[in-house]
Amino acid sequence: MSSYRAMLCVVAALVLSCTSTSAFVAPTAARAATAVNQRSSAVSRSAVNSRQTQRRTSALCMEGQAAYLDDPMLVPLEDDDYVAFGLACCFVMNDNLKLDEYYVYEPLTAATLETIASSQSLETSYKRVTAFHAKDIFEGPPARPTGIQVDKLKILDGDVTAHICENPVERTLAAARTYKRRVEAQMCGYGDLLEGFNFSTERKRILNHKFEPSFDDNVKQDKSIDVYGREEEEAKQIADLENM
Ligand SMILES: *[C@@H]1O[C@H](CO)[C@@H](O)[C@H](O)[C@H]1NC(C)=O
């Protein structure tokens, strides 16, 4: 029960942070993100179009980028921490306003991996999943990573070409932290390939399309937070939200 509440907290954080394309910020990372946002809004308030301001802005942005590493509330990752990556089938809109498939490598949170790996009845945009020790997938030490070793993710490719997701370092740090709190969600062995999920692109994840929740969406989301104890429905709602 409490674990489902924890998952719903993740969902709530997701709903609140979902003002742009497939943005995922885990609750722990949200604090860092808020700090960044506060800084950047301070920047926009004072913005006048002078070169000096531009210089100041870029200095603040750089400072902001490191904020998620310097947040004293976040315990640094260790070399052997677990993190799973998936190959997701997303879409981008081309110049003719048609949707093209666009495969993305992205870290999976504990809630996502647990949901898609434990129930075939839930549809997902993930084709394949693998898992790493943090030290094997980050560039630089996991406590202060500088990038992602994208080559290592090619194990997920199959017959498609894929691209690393946006903000991969930040998202991987946030995702890895979710497994610290939920070790039983580590359902893919290190270096294993998990596939055969209930793959579907019926609900398309469109990457260059700004997500603006409609009134109906907001009503649905309110309902989704009001279903404690109805595990199957919760899991479905979580999957639906994560499939956005
Ligand atoms: C996949 O998920 C859909 C929607 O929940 C369900 O209707 C379908 O039966 C599932 N497919 C399999 C093979 O379980």
Side-chain angles (χ1 to χ4, degrees), residues 14 18 22 203-205 211 221 239-244:
L14 227 160
C18 247
S22 68
R203 298 166 55 91
K204 293 184 172 43
R205 289 178 55 185
F211 175 72
Q221 283 163 2
D240 283 353
L241 280 167
E242 286 179 342
N243 217 6
M244 273 186 317

Side-chain angles (χ1 to χ4, degrees), residues 212-229:
E212 311 228 350
S214 68
F215 177 73
D216 281 353
D217 283 334
N218 284 330
V219 172
K220 274 185 229 144
Q221 283 163 2
D222 275 350
K223 275 191 205 146
S224 77
I225 293 165
D226 190 28
V227 290
Y228 292 128

Side-chain angles (χ1 to χ4, degrees), residues 120-123 198:
Q120 276 289 317
S121 63
L122 301 171
E123 290 176 339
N198 189 343

Side-chain angles (χ1 to χ4, degrees), residues 59-108:
L60 281 167
C61 283
M62 280 161 63
E63 195 186 300
Q65 267 182 7
Y68 62 87
L69 291 175
D70 293 333
D71 188 337
M73 300 298 284
L74 293 179
V75 181
L77 283 194
E78 288 162 43
D79 285 358
D80 286 335
D81 277 333
Y82 180 98
V83 66
F85 270 80
L87 177 73
C89 182
C90 303
F91 293 83
V92 292
M93 195 170 283
N94 65 27
D95 293 343
N96 302 322
L97 302 180
K98 294 258 164 63
L99 293 177
D100 292 332
E101 279 186 352
Y102 187 92
Y103 280 89
V104 172
Y105 305 122
E106 62 186 4
L108 268 69

Side-chain angles (χ1 to χ4, degrees), residues 1 11 50 74 82 94 125 127 133 150 173 185 209 214 223 229:
M1 183 67 209
V11 171
S50 74
L74 293 179
Y82 180 98
N94 65 27
S125 62
K127 277 209 145 165
H133 291 290
V150 180
L173 287 168
H209 169 83
S214 68
K223 275 191 205 146

Side-chain angles (χ1 to χ4, degrees), residues 5-220:
R5 275 178 197 264
M7 281 166 83
L8 278 166
C9 288
V10 173
V11 171
L14 227 160
V15 170
L16 294 174
S17 67
C18 247
T19 50
S20 65
T21 352
S22 68
F24 177 81
V25 184
T28 42
R31 273 191 299 275
T34 310
V36 174
N37 287 342
Q38 276 163 1
R39 263 191 215 112
S40 46
S41 66
V43 169
S44 58
R45 266 199 303 281
S46 67
V48 254
N49 249 342
S50 74
R51 211 160 268 171
Q52 197 188 357
T53 311
Q54 275 172 14
R55 263 203 302 277
R56 203 174 345 131
T57 307
S58 63
L60 281 167
C61 283
M62 280 161 63
E63 195 186 300
Q65 267 182 7
Y68 62 87
L69 291 175
D70 293 333
D71 188 337
M73 300 298 284
L74 293 179
V75 181
L77 283 194
E78 288 162 43
D79 285 358
D80 286 335
D81 277 333
Y82 180 98
V83 66
F85 270 80
L87 177 73
C89 182
C90 303
F91 293 83
V92 292
M93 195 170 283
N94 65 27
D95 293 343
N96 302 322
L97 302 180
K98 294 258 164 63
L99 293 177
D100 292 332
E101 279 186 352
Y102 187 92
Y103 280 89
V104 172
Y105 305 122
E106 62 186 4
L108 268 69
T109 64
T112 304
L113 178 55
E114 200 172 11
T115 305
I116 65 172
S118 57
S119 178
Q120 276 289 317
S121 63
L122 301 171
E123 290 176 339
T124 175
S125 62
Y126 292 106
K127 277 209 145 165
R128 259 169 239 115
V129 169
T130 189
F132 300 91
H133 291 290
K135 66 175 186 303
D136 295 328
I137 191 60
F138 282 116
E139 280 169 357
R144 254 201 119 66
T146 55
I148 298 290
Q149 300 183 45
V150 180
D151 277 0
K152 299 241 177 107
L153 296 169
K154 290 196 185 304
I155 181 179
L156 292 166
D157 280 1
D159 51 358
V160 301
T161 307
H163 312 263
I164 187 71
C165 65
E166 284 184 14
N167 306 322
V169 172
E170 194 168 1
R171 289 183 60 191
T172 305
L173 287 168
R177 287 199 176 92
T178 64
Y179 295 93
K180 283 174 173 281
R181 295 192 297 267
R182 193 156 176 83
V183 176
E184 59 274 45
Q186 301 179 4
M187 296 177 80
C188 178
Y190 296 104
D192 288 354
L193 264 188
L194 223 58
E195 42 194 342
F197 305 118
N198 189 343
F199 175 78
S200 165
T201 56
E202 201 174 316
R203 298 166 55 91
K204 293 184 172 43
R205 289 178 55 185
I206 303 170
L207 294 179
N208 52 357
H209 169 83
K210 209 169 169 199
F211 175 72
E212 311 228 350
S214 68
F215 177 73
D216 281 353
D217 283 334
N218 284 330
V219 172
K220 274 185 229 144

